[in-house]
Amino acid sequence: MIQSFSGQPIRVFTMTLASVLLGLVISFVFMWPFALLTLAILPFMGFGAVMEMQMYLGEDEGDSADKSCSGGILIETLLNIRTVASLTIEHIKSDEYANALQAEHSGSLKTHVYKGTASGFGQLSQMWGMGLMFWWGGWLLVNQPGKFSFVDYNISMMSLLYVLSGLGMATAGGHGSNVLVG
């Protein structure tokens, strides 16, 4: 119990915190007004990154490996089709599947509307945040040409983008996924 609490979660938290702090420090060193704006919109961008990672990793969908859901019943039946046919329990599996579909259907619209709204707001916050970051960085480069260079802007922007992608992956649970295993 202690190992499961102190192992991977503490390691992921430490790496995420170090990544966020290092990215912000690098951004503040190269272009502090840009980093200040990004610090203000970082929570919204972080939410958007979490929602995006959940969408890409499929964590916003139901677990089809669960044997009580319709997908689990379907997969179990198809993988064991010979057994199902030899025992002549096709009608039982069909009834189980229909009951599972009916159970999932009740109230699913509200759940999907909430999930869609959260995913949409996540994408919206990321796109508006990115647009604001590009606009603010361009404004700083045009109106203060001697203070900051395009290289400073790129370094600051890339360090913050890597912070956001790492933050989204860590909070979405992608660190334990087989997706990240090389």
Side-chain angles (χ1 to χ4, degrees), residues 35-181:
L36 201 59
L37 169 84
T38 306
L39 188 61
I41 63 172
L42 190 64
F44 302 106
M45 298 279 292
F47 171 75
V50 168
M51 296 308 294
E52 183 180 13
M53 286 300 143
Q54 284 182 350
M55 184 176 61
Y56 288 152
L57 295 176
E59 293 178 9
D60 59 343
E61 299 172 1
D63 188 14
S64 63
D66 184 16
K67 295 195 184 208
S68 64
C69 74
S70 62
I73 293 170
L74 186 65
I75 289 171
E76 179 185 0
T77 304
L78 290 176
L79 288 176
N80 301 313
I81 194 67
R82 289 183 185 170
T83 306
V84 170
S86 67
L87 294 174
T88 63
I89 57 173
E90 294 95 345
H91 62 282
I92 295 172
K93 288 297 181 181
S94 176
D95 291 341
E96 283 180 20
Y97 182 68
N99 291 336
L101 277 178
Q102 189 63 31
E104 288 175 4
H105 181 66
S106 62
S108 65
L109 180 63
K110 189 176 185 181
T111 303
H112 291 305
V113 166
Y114 285 144
K115 286 182 179 180
T117 302
S119 291
F121 183 72
Q123 293 290 321
L124 175 77
S125 65
Q126 275 199 310
M127 294 306 130
W128 275 89
M130 291 294 290
L132 184 61
M133 288 166 65
F134 281 119
W135 174 80
W136 180 242
W139 188 88
L140 288 171
L141 289 175
V142 168
N143 292 328
Q144 298 178 355
K147 239 180 187 177
F148 306 109
S149 71
F150 187 67
V151 173
D152 294 338
Y153 170 69
N154 278 335
I155 291 172
S156 184
M157 179 71 131
M158 289 303 133
S159 68
L160 292 170
L161 288 179
Y162 286 128
V163 163
L164 285 174
S165 89
L167 182 67
M169 188 64 79
T171 55
H175 52 81
S177 175
N178 291 335
V179 173
L180 299 179
V181 175

Side-chain angles (χ1 to χ4, degrees), residues 7-19:
Q8 186 72 6
I10 298 294
R11 186 178 11 205
V12 168
F13 174 75
T14 305
M15 287 175 26
T16 303
L17 185 65
S19 170

